[in-house]
Amino acid sequence: MAEQKYVYTTHATEADPRKLDSIESVVNEHAREGWRFVDTLEKDGTTVGLVFEQER
């Protein structure tokens, strides 16, 4: 079995368009820690989370 190349983490978001600045700061904070934004988690068409990956 191959060794896992990436690890993943998620961050819950609020469905409030007025909080886009806070989402941007979350993405930037994760990027400074070496995480790369890769996808969103959605429920009923609303983004409820962000998915980040990092090489092991």
Side-chain angles (χ1 to χ4, degrees):
M1 186 171 188
E3 185 177 327
Q4 184 177 346
K5 186 174 179 177
Y6 296 97
V7 291
Y8 295 88
T9 191
T10 60
H11 180 87
T13 61
E14 292 182 41
D16 185 345
R18 295 171 293 179
K19 299 199 176 193
L20 287 177
D21 288 341
S22 65
I23 291 174
E24 182 179 337
S25 66
V26 166
V27 172
N28 286 329
E29 180 180 338
H30 278 75
R32 280 191 297 275
E33 295 173 2
W35 293 96
R36 183 174 73 105
F37 172 74
V38 292
D39 208 351
T40 58
L41 301 172
E42 294 186 16
K43 181 177 182 181
D44 300 325
T46 300
T47 299
V48 295
L50 306 174
V51 181
F52 298 89
E53 74 179 4
Q54 187 178 65
E55 279 195 71
R56 284 188 158 230

